[in-house]
Amino acid sequence: MVDSAAHRSNMRLSRVEYREIARWTEHLRPTRQCMKMLKDRFPNHSQSTLLSIFSLEYQKRTKRTISRHHAPDVIESHYQRYLSESKAYPSAPVLLELANEVDLSPALMARIILDRFLQDLEGEMPTKTVLNSMLKEPSLIQDQILAKNIHQCTINDCCYGPLVDCIKHAIGQEHEVLLRDKLKERNLSFLDENQLRAMGYDKTPDIILEVPIAVEGHIVHWIESKASFGDDHSHRTYLNEQFWSYWNRFGPGLVIYWYGFIGELDCQRDRGILLKDCFPTDIATLCHASQQDQPATQEPE
């Protein structure tokens, strides 16, 4: 769900505040119980902002440690332990507990164990398609105890897995619809990503305004919607891979990080990239924009 305005005052964090939250997440696991602990510790921040920050930090942590979990001897050790404990305790959430014990995402543990199980069953490496379909629909797995364990891992992981991917996609879509609705409320004429793709553009922001606006005194030709928190790493990546190319093609623009961002990152305003954590209220419409204010009219590549 889109956060209510009640949390708006806490969406923009200083780098010091962000680091305090990030440090506190270092030993948390990606489970629902851990998210409740995080919310209890930082009650002034919205659940969505805290989950987004935790997800960013947990993904960094996973990238640093995932290779050791993929070592053949470690996979074999995890698999044999799963077989032994699930046989001894068939109704226990063995795989979920193992994942938490070795500090691996439950959904990633489920993928590793299922992959190893299918190798035993088929005598060869399963295809990614087969693996993904069984992770999405564990009832396709022949072994009912493993199917139940895979399902428990998937629904209890708030950072990885098919359920999280589906939720993130839905939340992203929800915020893009919210952005379009806000623009329509203000009678602002725009083209969205689908329309731009149909026109032949390959890499586009979510919205291009047909007539530019001014937000807090800064000209805006395009708007990008991010249903996430903007930390140093993700924002730097977006700048290099998206925002500067939008700026080169379409002129200055606005990025909305709906779940907040590190305040110090909003330092490119004079260069043409403005950051906000909500739809701006200070908008001036440039009804008779001069030619130099129009987005660059380059041919689509």
Side-chain angles (χ1 to χ4, degrees), residues 23-196:
R23 268 198 305 274
W24 208 80
T25 68
E26 281 174 10
H27 303 294
L28 294 183
R29 305 288 187 261
T31 62
R32 297 177 193 282
Q33 295 82 1
C34 285
M35 282 314 305
K36 184 180 184 308
M37 288 164 60
L38 192 58
K39 179 63 179 159
D40 290 345
R41 176 66 181 79
F42 298 99
N44 293 329
H45 300 297
S46 78
Q47 179 94 13
S48 300
T49 295
L50 292 171
L51 175 56
S52 188
I53 291 172
F54 175 69
S55 185
L56 289 166
E57 291 300 313
Y58 189 74
Q59 284 166 24
K60 291 175 201 169
R61 192 163 104 200
T62 299
K63 282 173 185 169
R64 290 194 301 269
T65 60
I66 191 67
S67 59
R68 73 166 181 250
H69 292 289
H70 279 285
D73 58 327
V74 175
I75 290 175
E76 196 57 34
S77 170
H78 290 343
Y79 183 57
Q80 293 304 327
R81 185 167 163 192
Y82 162 74
L83 290 177
S84 160
E85 293 188 9
S86 62
K87 189 175 180 182
Y89 310 102
S91 60
V94 169
L95 210 49
L96 181 62
E97 288 172 359
L98 177 58
N100 288 332
E101 182 186 320
V102 302
D103 193 15
L104 177 62
S105 146
L108 296 182
M109 175 65 86
R111 175 177 281 275
I112 287 171
I113 298 301
L114 178 59
D115 187 30
R116 178 67 184 78
F117 169 79
L118 292 173
Q119 286 177 48
D120 254 5
L121 197 66
E122 309 291 343
E124 59 184 11
M125 296 281 285
T127 66
K128 193 174 273 190
T129 306
V130 167
L131 204 54
N132 288 340
S133 64
M134 289 185 173
L135 289 167
K136 283 180 185 171
E137 189 45 77
S139 62
L140 297 172
I141 301 167
Q142 292 181 20
D143 185 311
Q144 288 189 353
I145 293 175
L146 179 58
K148 184 183 71 176
N149 272 274
I150 297 289
H151 179 65
Q152 286 166 339
C153 284
T154 300
I155 61 171
N156 282 289
D157 195 321
C158 61
C159 290
Y160 286 96
L163 181 61
V164 170
D165 291 342
C166 190
I167 291 169
K168 282 182 177 175
H169 179 72
I171 290 172
Q173 296 281 95
E174 183 182 16
H175 284 82
E176 286 176 26
V177 170
L178 174 66
L179 174 56
R180 290 197 292 270
D181 288 347
K182 293 282 188 185
L183 290 165
K184 287 172 187 171
E185 281 173 23
R186 298 295 296 257
N187 293 318
L188 297 171
S189 184
F190 63 90
L191 298 169
D192 65 25
E193 199 173 11
N194 294 329
Q195 291 169 306
L196 291 162

Side-chain angles (χ1 to χ4, degrees), residues 218-224 247 250-255 272-275:
H218 296 271
I219 302 295
V220 169
H221 289 284
W222 53 267
I223 305 175
E224 179 73 5
W247 182 90
F250 304 111
L254 163 68
V255 178
I273 293 179
L274 177 68
L275 304 187

